[in-house]
Each structure stands twice: as structure tokens, then as C-alpha cells.
């Protein structure tokens, strides 16, 4: 019975659609009819279903407009998306070419560079290091035949102690009348310094002279400095062409002031030496004396070291005196030294003996000079060394003392 009811319902539906066919374009009717037929066939094959399944689309065909223009179907245009460029993989390590070897050609520099002094990789037992020239810096002018004392400051840079069996020895070059060796008088521990001195005489001919010196161990081994502990230290002087001899001035101390050994209460100082706490000594060609007077003769200008009992002393080379010789000098305070106040002495020794006094006085900035004119006839035929000495009176401020043209005067017949 139910099957017949379904068939009746389908017929009614067909007639209804046919009545509305004038409202739809032809293709739509065919579509609908086809759908109805498919529905009837489906219903006939579903006799097992007891429940009717309602259509999923509502029947609203009566609401369509009398004329419908279907949109023109726009075909899909598929645009291929470009693939990203294929990555180029780096070649494996085995594909790399061999690394080229770069060769650099050094370019000569227009500015010379100073090569540091090499040092041994292992510190040797016997090794020295030059520290400074205490006296007679390289190139010092020494008059022909003049005796002078050269002093070096040397450091024991090795690991062995230098005992009294060690010696300063002449190595090569110009001996300048010096000894073959000079024994040490005390021990020198590794790292300590020692002042080594030797008495020399300037050659008689003008020129430049250089003598090399080293050290010798107690066992007789010679050693020096440098990377291989064999480099010497030296003395280098210049002997000038002698001026026209002045028989009245056979020995001028101001012309040979750096041939003297200059010492203060703190030790030996270099000549020349500018003003400082350790004292000073310079040669001034046209000195301005206290009161503003300027002289045309050279002067040695000294200043004692600072502190209590500060002093400075110049020990000059020996000179053989003859009857009638006189020691002459003018001394005083330099200009613009208002606090100058010093004790001044002229001392001497004969044949290297005890130091004795020739004259002593006090200099202050009072406008007065001291003139010395000392008869030396009693030393006839003897070798005399002169000492110029200045002590501060507890304070070295402004103690600039000049020695104007100190010399030995020898009267001519």
C-alpha cells in the first residue's frame, strides 16, 4: 500500500514541474526531469527503508524570476607558480683547488729601524752589560799628550760573581798608553754594577782614537757583552789639531775639563753634566759673571750635589811643574744666582800622594771675585795634580761657581 502512495506522489510531482516548465529555460527542464526519474528509481530500490528521507534542498522554484540570465562560466586559468631557483651547492672539500702560496716581497723602508741588541737565550756564567760612560763620553776632545781617566759603569749580567781575581783587560784598538789589565778591588754580585777606571794618555797626533776593553775571569777566560758575551766596551776620543802654542799657558784646565774626573758626594758624574740633584759641570765660552759682567775667556761652571755636605770635585791629569810656574784663576758666583753661598778650595797632590790645600775661601753673591795667583816653584820637576772643589753650605740653591780660565802661567824669558 505504501508503495502505491509513493508512486502517486511522484506523478503529482511530475505534473507540477511540467506546469512550471515555461518558467525555466529548456536545459533546466531536462535536468529536473532527469532528477525525478533518478529519484523514482531510487525509491523503487529502497523498499527496505521504512522511513522517508526528506530532500536536502528546499523547493523554492516558485520564487525564481521570470527571466534568469545564468552567468557565463569563467574558465579557470591555472598559472604555474615558478619554482625557486635551484641552489648551487658548494663543491665538497675534495673539489677545492689547492690554496695558492702567497709570496710577499719586502719593501725597503726609507726610515731606518733600530735593531734591538739580542740577548742570549740562556744567561751565561760570565757576561757583562755596558751601562754608561761615567767620564769621557765618546768623541770627547783631549789635547795631544794629555793624560785622562776613563771610567765605565758596567753591570754583572751573568750568573757568576766577579771576585778580586777578575780584571779589566785591554782587548784591541788604540791602547793610548793604558795598562794591559786592571784587577778588581772588590766582588761584584750578579745584577750589581761597578765603575771600572783606567788611566790613559791621548796620542800626540791629531785624529780619532778608539780602544776596546773586556773582562777576564780568575781562570783567564775573556768575556764581554752582546748576544754571545764577547762584545767589548770602549773609549773613543778626538785629538784636535793643536792651536798655536802659548808658552805662557802650558796647561789650561778649562780646555781639558772633561779630562778631569768629576766626583760629587753621590759618586762620579759624567762630563759634561747638566744641572741636577747629583751636581753638574759644564764649560761656558762667554760666561756672565755676578753683576752682569760678561767675559770673553772660557770658564768651568760647577754646582755641588744637593743635600747636607753636598760637594763637587774635579781631579785633573798630572802636570810637571817648572820653577817660576804659577797657578792662576778667577772664581766667583755666576750672574742671577742671588742665593749663592759656597766654600771653595784649590787643592793638589804631588806624585799621586796625599791631597793638600793651596787656598780656601767662601763665595757669596756680593759682586766680588776671588783672584788666585799661586807660586808653584817649590814643586819644580814634580808631577802635580790640581783639584777644583766646591762645597755647599748645607744648601745647593744658586751655588753656581765659575772658574774663569784656570791655568798654569809660565813667564817667558
Amino acid at each position: 500500500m505504501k508503495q502505491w502512495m509513493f508512486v502517486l506522489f511522484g506523478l503529482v510531482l511530475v505534473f507540477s514541474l511540467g506546469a512550471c516548465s515555461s518558467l525555466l529555460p529548456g536545459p533546466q527542464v531536462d535536468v529536473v526531469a532527469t532528477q525525478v526519474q533518478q529519484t523514482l528509481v531510487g525509491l523503487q530500490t529502497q523498499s527496505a527503508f521504512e522511513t522517508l528521507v526528506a530532500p536536502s534542498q528546499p523547493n523554492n522554484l516558485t520564487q525564481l524570476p521570470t527571466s534568469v540570465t545564468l552567468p557565463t562560466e569563467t574558465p579557470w586559468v591555472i598559472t604555474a607558480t615558478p619554482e625557486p631557483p635551484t641552489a648551487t651547492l658548494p663543491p665538497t672539500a675534495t673539489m677545492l683547488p689547492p690554496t695558492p702560496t702567497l709570496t710577499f716581497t719586502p719593501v725597503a723602508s726609507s726610515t731606518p729601524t733600530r735593531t734591538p741588541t739580542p740577548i742570549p737565550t740562556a744567561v751565561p756564567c760570565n757576561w757583562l752589560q755596558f751601562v754608561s760612560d761615567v767620564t769621557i763620553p765618546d768623541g770627547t776632545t783631549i789635547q795631544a799628550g794629555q793624560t785622562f781617566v776613563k771610567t765605565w759603569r758596567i753591570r754583572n749580567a751573568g750568573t757568576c760573581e766577579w771576585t778580586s781575581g777578575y780584571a779589566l783587560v785591554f782587548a784591541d784598538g788604540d791602547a793610548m798608553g793604558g795598562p794591559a789589565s786592571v784587577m778588581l778591588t772588590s766582588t761584584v754580585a750578579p745584577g750589581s754594577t761597578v765603575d771600572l777606571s783606567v788611566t790613559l794618555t791621548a796620542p800626540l797626533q791629531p785624529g780619532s782614537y778608539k780602544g776596546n776593553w773586556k773582562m777576564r775571569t780568575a781562570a783567564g777566560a775573556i768575556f764581554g757583552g752582546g748576544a754571545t758575551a764577547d762584545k767589548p766596551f770602549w773609549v773613543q776620543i778626538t785629538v784636535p789639531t793643536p792651536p798655536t802654542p802659548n808658552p805662557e799657558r802650558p796647561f789650561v784646565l778649562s780646555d781639558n775639563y772633561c779630562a778631569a774626573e768629576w766626583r760629587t758626594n753621590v759618586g762620579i758624574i759624567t762630563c759634561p753634566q747638566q744641572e741636577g740633584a747629583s751636581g753638574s759641570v759644564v764649560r761656558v765660552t762667554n760666561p756672565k759673571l755676578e753683576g752682569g759682567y760678561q767675559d770673553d775667556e772660557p770658564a768651568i761652571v760647577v754646582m755641588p750635589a744637593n743635600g747636607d755636605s753636598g760637594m763637587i770635585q774635579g781631579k785633573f791629569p798630572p802636570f810637571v811643574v817648572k820653577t817660576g810656574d804659577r797657578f792662576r784663576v778667577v772664581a766667583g758666583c755666576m750672574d742671577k744666582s742671588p742665593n749663592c753661598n759656597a766654600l771653595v778650595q784649590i787643592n793638589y797632590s804631588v806624585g799621586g800622594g796625599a791631597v793638600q790645600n793651596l787656598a780656601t775661601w767662601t763665595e757669596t753673591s756680593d759682586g766680588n771675585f776671588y783672584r788666585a795667583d799661586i807660586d808653584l816653584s817649590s814643586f819644580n820637576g814634580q808631577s802635580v795634580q790640581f783639584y777644583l772643589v766646591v762645597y755647599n753650605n748645607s744648601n745647593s740653591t744658586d751655588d753656581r761657581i765659575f772658574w774663569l780660565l784656570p791655568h798654569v802661567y809660565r813667564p817667558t824669558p
Side-chain angles (χ1 to χ4, degrees), residues 145-184:
Q146 194 68 58
T147 300
F148 62 96
V149 176
K150 171 65 184 183
T151 301
W152 300 272
R153 185 159 294 156
I154 302 297
R155 177 176 289 109
N156 179 352
T159 59
C160 292
E161 184 179 66
W162 298 351
T163 66
S164 57
Y166 281 58
L168 169 68
V169 296
F170 174 71
D172 54 46
D174 300 307
M176 293 181 251
S181 64
V182 178
M183 302 301 295
L184 297 188

Side-chain angles (χ1 to χ4, degrees), residues 233-265:
F233 47 97
W234 57 82
V235 53
Q236 186 173 9
I237 67 168
T238 298
V239 177
T241 301
T244 302
N246 184 347
E248 292 187 345
R249 296 176 183 175
F251 183 40
V252 180
L253 281 65
S254 52
D255 289 344
N256 301 277
Y257 81 109
C258 275
E261 178 190 83
W262 291 94
R263 180 185 296 272
T264 70
N265 48 295

Side-chain angles (χ1 to χ4, degrees), residues 304 309-313 341-345 389-393 399:
S309 302
M311 56 83 66
I312 185 168
Q313 168 187 281
N341 187 332
L343 181 69
V344 183
Q345 290 183 341
V389 188
V390 175
Y391 293 90
N392 71 9
N393 287 326
D399 287 351

Side-chain angles (χ1 to χ4, degrees), residues 24-49:
L24 296 173
Q28 290 290 336
V29 174
D30 293 337
V31 172
V32 172
T34 301
Q35 292 176 346
V36 171
Q37 292 176 358
Q38 292 174 347
T39 301
L40 291 176
V41 172
L43 291 174
Q44 292 175 357
T45 60
Q46 297 181 10
S47 58
F49 285 97

Side-chain angles (χ1 to χ4, degrees), residues 114-120 127 129 225-227 231:
R114 182 175 180 178
T115 303
T117 301
I119 61 174
W127 185 38
Q129 186 178 44
K231 298 297 185 290

Side-chain angles (χ1 to χ4, degrees), residues 249-326:
R249 296 176 183 175
F251 183 40
V252 180
L253 281 65
S254 52
D255 289 344
N256 301 277
Y257 81 109
C258 275
E261 178 190 83
W262 291 94
R263 180 185 296 272
T264 70
N265 48 295
V266 298
I268 295 175
I269 64 172
T270 301
C271 177
Q273 176 69 55
Q274 301 300 318
E275 288 187 15
S278 298
S280 65
V281 53
V282 294
R283 182 179 185 271
V284 180
T285 303
N286 298 299
K288 183 175 287 189
L289 314 181
E290 58 181 302
Y293 169 74
Q294 190 163 12
D295 202 279
D296 58 358
E297 296 285 3
I300 303 172
V301 179
V302 301
M303 176 176 278
N306 290 342
D308 292 341
S309 302
M311 56 83 66
I312 185 168
Q313 168 187 281
K315 176 184 176 182
F316 285 80
F319 174 78
V320 178
V321 176
K322 293 184 178 181
T323 300
D325 287 352
R326 305 184 72 87

